[in-house]
């Protein structure tokens, strides 16, 4: 029989949190594989654009997508495939990471903090860890997006690159 006070201990909660995070990471991994293979609904991409508070035109510029094609696919909720799907997946990863950073924060002001809007501003600011480039200048490639995600991860841990 488990001791109820043990279940409520910080150590137990931390262990359960890590287990839960690993389960979420595995789910996200397989979801990403499925999306790469089958495409992403344009409405998902539009929802993430909205979270950042950027326009569809700006998103098309950042991810090097055809503005008219993107607008048409969003309007008809068509599937984004190939490089368009990869762009949508990159944006989804960024949004998820920003939301994770805020949800894991112990800072009192993290409650009600809009991670998406913050991310929308942050990607437009020159970052020393990116050799002075804005994250938005790198998001059109997998390698660039990986580096941006790495920098965001460093922000969460406090280990600045």
């Amino acid at each position: 029989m488990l001791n109820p006070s043990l279940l409520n201990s910080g150590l137990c909660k931390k262990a359960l949190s890590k287990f839960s995070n690993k389960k979420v990471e595995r789910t996200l991994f397989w979801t990403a594989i499925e999306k790469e293979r089958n495409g992403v609904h344009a409405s998902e991409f539009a929802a993430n654009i909205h979270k950042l508070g950027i326009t569809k035109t700006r998103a098309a510029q950042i991810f090097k997508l055809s503005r008219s094609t993107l607008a048409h696919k969003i309007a008809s909720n068509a599937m984004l495939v190939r490089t368009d799907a990869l762009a949508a997946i990159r944006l989804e990863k960024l949004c998820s990471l920003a939301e994770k950073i805020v949800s894991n924060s112990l800072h009192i002001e993290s409650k009600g903090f809009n991670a998406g809007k913050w991310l929308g501003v942050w990607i437009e600011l020159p970052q020393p860890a990116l050799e002075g480039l804005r994250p938005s200048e790198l998001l059109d490639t997998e390698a660039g997006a990986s580096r941006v995600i790495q920098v965001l991860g460093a922000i969460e841990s406090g280990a600045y690159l």
Side-chain angles (χ1 to χ4, degrees):
M1 180 83 179
L2 286 175
N3 182 339
S5 64
L6 180 62
L7 288 174
N8 291 324
S9 73
L11 184 62
C12 186
K13 287 180 181 178
K14 189 173 182 178
L16 288 173
S17 173
K18 283 185 178 183
F19 174 76
S20 177
N21 286 342
K22 290 293 182 192
K23 187 175 178 182
V24 167
E25 287 172 15
R26 277 194 300 274
T27 301
L28 290 174
F29 172 77
W30 290 112
T31 301
I33 295 291
E34 182 180 327
K35 287 180 178 184
E36 281 187 43
R37 289 179 176 157
N38 302 320
V40 177
H41 285 281
S43 61
E44 290 179 49
F45 189 59
N48 284 322
I49 291 168
H50 181 74
K51 283 181 188 178
L52 270 60
I54 61 175
T55 65
K56 293 172 195 150
T57 299
R58 181 64 185 130
Q61 291 169 340
I62 291 170
F63 293 99
K64 308 286 191 273
L65 305 173
S66 164
R67 188 175 47 129
S68 59
T69 301
L70 180 61
H72 171 72
K73 287 188 176 189
I74 289 172
S76 63
N77 195 26
M79 295 297 283
L80 300 175
V81 294
R82 297 184 215 55
T83 57
D84 294 356
L86 293 175
I89 292 166
R90 286 193 297 272
L91 180 57
E92 183 177 3
K93 285 179 185 176
L94 283 172
C95 288
S96 293
L97 181 54
E99 290 166 1
K100 178 183 164 224
I101 290 168
V102 171
S103 71
N104 289 341
S105 175
L106 300 176
H107 195 282
I108 194 160
E109 293 179 12
S110 66
K111 299 253 188 282
F113 185 81
N114 190 326
K117 297 287 186 204
W118 172 82
L119 183 62
V121 171
W122 182 82
I123 65 171
E124 297 295 355
L125 298 174
Q127 300 298 323
L130 298 173
E131 299 179 21
L133 295 173
R134 299 181 323 232
S136 62
E137 296 175 80
L138 301 171
L139 295 176
D140 62 314
T141 67
E142 290 298 317
S146 291
R147 181 69 173 147
V148 170
I149 287 169
Q150 183 182 24
V151 170
L152 269 180
I155 288 171
E156 179 182 23
S157 72
Y160 301 103
L161 304 173

